[in-house]
């Protein structure tokens, strides 16, 4: 039984972690930090220096910036300085105009932006922007989460800020282990009065709209549209399964391709938000589940993803579609009529399959990985409802579902660190660079 105090705590957590974002959250966070540094400077910067953690750089190199037709950090930084407003948070560039875009291109052409890796930091999510003009400079720092600014105290010099924390401690992202377990997640989604959860329907509204937007243009690799075309239907069929994959992949196509539309993110990732939402929404609609069942399934999906990310961390070497795919799998399992035991089986089936899928940055081809995650989510749910579950004699699966989840996050957060370094090394040295 979830107490009212615990219920309110979890509601606050969901509202904190499930928020709108325009574009990929990593370059938008860099634009947000640039906007704050510019506001502190009080005038248009003449020069901007960005020092970033490897994971931020990795996730921002190849992704489309909404409304620009361009990819990567330079245009995100330029527009953050020219038209960004920090009050907009991850929708920082929503005031973009054609005139501002041309101005941003000129800013880049004048070589006013310098981007590099921040040396000697342990934070996976770290953004440091210094704006200079007229002989003065101001620095803004985001760390730990995509919208969390570290305040620079009045007696902290700019040089100290650039060299990291002044207290000698490593400001790594703080985990909240023990806050949740899968039983608590499930009970919360089932027991909370539905009116208190109705806000979660906003995820369906925004993320399904992103899928519809993808049909209007050719975004990214057009994976969602391809699956939905006659050839795709001839191969995948015209089924709930194919509709789930196409609607989820399409939303990712639009987002990674630079569509100027908001999506509802989860734990700092728009793709995770899409993957935790659209499969559940499509299944509920085509299975004719009630609105209450949809609300509870979406809550279960998103909160499961949040729970897993608490120990994995916001950025890691493990692709986020694994985490969000687990969420959507348990949501679909519930919509199929499953109980807590069925949900546990779905989680174990997912972890037995997708563990090890690496993240090699945010980019249009993320839709391919999302399609893999979503198809596995449906497969895991179907197997669970048939009473099938990968056993503790196999691989990293444990009898305890929470221990199984911890095994997954340990691999993603710890064992794959060297993989993460190698991926970044490859990405930054392609074509002899």
């Amino acid at each position: 039984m979830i107490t009212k105090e615990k219920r309110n705590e979890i509601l606050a957590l969901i509202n904190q972690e499930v928020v709108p974002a325009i574009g990929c959250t990593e370059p938008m966070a860099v634009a947000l930090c640039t906007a704050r540094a510019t506001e502190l400077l009080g005038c248009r910067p003449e020069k901007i220096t960005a020092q970033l953690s490897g994971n931020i750089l990795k996730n921002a190199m190849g992704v489309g910036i909404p409304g620009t037709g361009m990819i990567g950090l330079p245009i995100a930084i330029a527009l953050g300085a020219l038209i960004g407003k920090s009050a907009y948070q991850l929708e920082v560039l929503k005031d973009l105009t054609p005139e501002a875009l041309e101005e941003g291109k000129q800013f880049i052409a004048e070589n006013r932006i310098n981007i590099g890796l921040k040396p000697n930091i342990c934070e996976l999510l770290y953004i440091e922007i210094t704006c200079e003009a007229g002989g003065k400079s101001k620095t803004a720092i985001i760390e730990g989460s995509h919208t969390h600014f570290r305040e620079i105290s009045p007696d902290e010099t700019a040089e100290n800020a650039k060299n990291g924390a002044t207290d000698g401690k490593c400001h790594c992202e703080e985990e909240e282990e023990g806050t949740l377990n899968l039983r608590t997640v499930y009970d919360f989604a089932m027991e909370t009065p539905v009116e208190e959860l109705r806000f979660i329907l906003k995820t369906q509204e925004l993320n399904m709209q992103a899928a519809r937007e993808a049909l209007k243009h050719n975004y990214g690799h057009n994976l969602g549209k391809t699956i939905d075309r006659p050839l795709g239907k001839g191969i995948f069929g015209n089924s709930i399964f194919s509709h789930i994959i196409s609607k989820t992949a399409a939303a990712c196509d639009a987002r990674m391709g630079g569509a100027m539309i908001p999506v509802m993110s989860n734990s700092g990732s728009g793709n995770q938000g899409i993957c935790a939402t659209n499969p559940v929404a499509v299944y509920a609609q085509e299975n004719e589940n009630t609105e209450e069942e949809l609300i509870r399934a979406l809550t279960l999906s998103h909160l499961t993803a949040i729970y897993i990310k608490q120990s994995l961390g916001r950025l890691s070497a493990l692709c986020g579609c694994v985490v969000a795919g687990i969420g959507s799998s348990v949501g679909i399992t519930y919509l199929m009529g499953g109980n807590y035991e069925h949900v546990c089986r779905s989680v174990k089936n997912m972890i037995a399959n997708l563990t090890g899928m690496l993240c090699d940055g945010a980019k249009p081809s993320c839709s391919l990985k999302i399609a893999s995650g979503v198809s596995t989510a449906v497969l895991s749910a179907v197997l669970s409802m048939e009473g099938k579950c990968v056993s503790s004699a196999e691989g990293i699966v444990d009898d305890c579902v929470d221990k199984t989840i911890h095994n997954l996050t340990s691999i993603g957060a710890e064992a794959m660190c060297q993989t993460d370094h190698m991926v970044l090394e490859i990405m930054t040295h392609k074509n002899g660079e």
Side-chain angles (χ1 to χ4, degrees), residues 29-98:
V30 176
L32 172 62
C33 197
T34 305
R36 173 66 69 85
T38 301
E39 290 163 359
L40 293 172
L41 186 65
C43 63
R44 173 176 167 153
E46 298 170 357
K47 179 182 176 183
I48 301 174
T49 301
Q51 291 196 294
L52 313 170
S53 61
N55 285 72
I56 290 290
L57 190 61
K58 179 182 75 173
N59 280 345
M61 289 174 61
V63 69
I65 305 303
T68 69
M70 301 172 69
I71 64 170
L73 283 167
I75 190 63
I77 292 172
L79 293 176
L82 296 174
I83 55 97
K85 291 183 175 63
S86 63
Y88 291 166
Q89 297 285 284
L90 293 178
E91 296 179 282
V92 58
L93 301 184
K94 68 179 182 180
D95 288 343
L96 178 63
T97 64

Side-chain angles (χ1 to χ4, degrees), residues 234-287:
I235 296 172
F236 298 102
N238 189 14
S239 64
I240 297 177
F241 180 62
S242 66
H243 298 165
I244 284 173
I245 298 174
S246 66
K247 294 297 188 295
T248 310
C252 180
D253 285 331
R255 178 173 177 267
M256 294 287 96
M260 193 67 177
I261 52 171
V263 301
M264 197 67 82
S265 65
N266 181 297
S267 303
S269 168
N271 282 349
Q272 285 174 195
I274 290 168
C275 195
T277 301
N278 289 18
V280 176
V282 172
Y283 185 89
Q285 180 181 3
E286 302 206 14
N287 193 50

Side-chain angles (χ1 to χ4, degrees), residues 1-13:
M1 184 72 178
I2 304 293
T3 66
K4 185 176 181 180
E5 181 181 9
K6 184 68 172 178
R7 192 169 78 228
N8 289 338
E9 177 187 321
I10 296 174
L11 283 168
L13 177 63

Side-chain angles (χ1 to χ4, degrees), residues 147-168:
T147 58
H148 178 260
F149 285 94
R150 174 159 74 83
E151 296 298 328
I152 301 174
S153 62
D155 58 344
E156 184 178 6
T157 67
E159 190 61 33
N160 283 338
K162 291 179 181 180
N163 289 334
T166 57
D167 56 10

Side-chain angles (χ1 to χ4, degrees), residues 51-346:
Q51 291 196 294
L52 313 170
S53 61
N55 285 72
I56 290 290
L57 190 61
K58 179 182 75 173
N59 280 345
M61 289 174 61
V63 69
I65 305 303
T68 69
M70 301 172 69
I71 64 170
L73 283 167
I75 190 63
I77 292 172
L79 293 176
L82 296 174
I83 55 97
K85 291 183 175 63
S86 63
Y88 291 166
Q89 297 285 284
L90 293 178
E91 296 179 282
V92 58
L93 301 184
K94 68 179 182 180
D95 288 343
L96 178 63
T97 64
E99 294 76 19
L101 177 57
E102 290 307 310
E103 195 176 354
K105 291 178 180 178
Q106 181 62 32
F107 196 89
I108 295 170
E110 293 169 354
N111 294 317
R112 297 180 181 276
I113 300 171
N114 181 46
I115 301 170
L117 279 171
K118 174 73 175 179
N120 304 320
I121 59 164
C122 63
E123 294 92 339
L124 298 180
L125 198 166
Y126 183 89
I127 302 163
E128 180 184 301
I129 303 292
T130 299
C131 291
E132 302 175 50
K136 63 177 182 177
S137 69
K138 290 292 182 181
T139 297
I141 296 173
I142 286 177
E143 63 182 357
S145 71
H146 293 79
T147 58
H148 178 260
F149 285 94
R150 174 159 74 83
E151 296 298 328
I152 301 174
S153 62
D155 58 344
E156 184 178 6
T157 67
E159 190 61 33
N160 283 338
K162 291 179 181 180
N163 289 334
T166 57
D167 56 10
K169 297 178 182 177
C170 175
H171 285 247
C172 293
E173 182 176 351
E174 294 182 7
E175 297 179 358
E176 299 179 53
E177 289 190 59
T179 300
L180 294 173
N181 56 47
L182 193 64
R183 180 83 237 191
T184 300
V185 167
Y186 180 84
D187 288 347
F188 171 86
M190 297 303 109
E191 296 174 7
T192 302
V194 71
E195 289 305 317
E196 295 183 22
L197 302 174
R198 188 168 294 278
F199 69 90
I200 204 71
L201 288 175
K202 189 70 174 178
T203 63
Q204 178 194 30
E205 177 187 337
L206 293 185
N207 295 350
M208 289 297 288
Q209 177 58 36
R212 290 188 289 271
E213 174 67 21
L215 302 179
K216 301 176 184 179
H217 304 280
N218 292 319
Y219 290 110
H221 297 290
N222 278 335
L223 180 59
K225 290 175 73 171
T226 299
I227 295 171
D228 208 35
R229 285 171 175 162
L231 176 61
K233 288 181 178 178
I235 296 172
F236 298 102
N238 189 14
S239 64
I240 297 177
F241 180 62
S242 66
H243 298 165
I244 284 173
I245 298 174
S246 66
K247 294 297 188 295
T248 310
C252 180
D253 285 331
R255 178 173 177 267
M256 294 287 96
M260 193 67 177
I261 52 171
V263 301
M264 197 67 82
S265 65
N266 181 297
S267 303
S269 168
N271 282 349
Q272 285 174 195
I274 290 168
C275 195
T277 301
N278 289 18
V280 176
V282 172
Y283 185 89
Q285 180 181 3
E286 302 206 14
N287 193 50
E288 299 182 350
N289 288 97
T290 66
E291 183 181 68
E292 178 175 346
E293 288 169 337
L294 170 61
I295 289 171
R296 296 195 183 282
L298 286 171
T299 302
L300 181 59
S301 178
H302 278 275
L303 189 55
T304 297
I306 291 169
Y307 160 46
I308 297 172
K309 290 290 285 186
Q310 283 184 337
S311 56
L312 179 62
R314 289 182 180 275
L315 298 178
S316 75
L318 187 70
C319 178
C321 81
V322 178
V323 175
I326 294 172
S328 62
S329 186
V330 301
I332 291 171
T333 300
Y334 162 71
L335 292 173
M336 288 178 171
N339 57 25
Y340 177 68
E341 294 307 317
H342 292 103
V343 162
C344 290
R345 290 201 290 260
S346 293

Side-chain angles (χ1 to χ4, degrees), residues 334-381:
Y334 162 71
L335 292 173
M336 288 178 171
N339 57 25
Y340 177 68
E341 294 307 317
H342 292 103
V343 162
C344 290
R345 290 201 290 260
S346 293
V347 171
K348 293 179 181 180
N349 291 339
M350 285 291 294
I351 292 175
N353 191 337
L354 286 184
T355 296
M357 182 182 286
L358 62 83
C359 171
D360 55 344
K363 58 207 175 302
S365 60
C366 284
S367 60
L368 293 166
K369 294 187 178 184
I370 278 185
S372 297
V374 170
S375 61
T376 302
V378 177
L379 176 63
S380 297

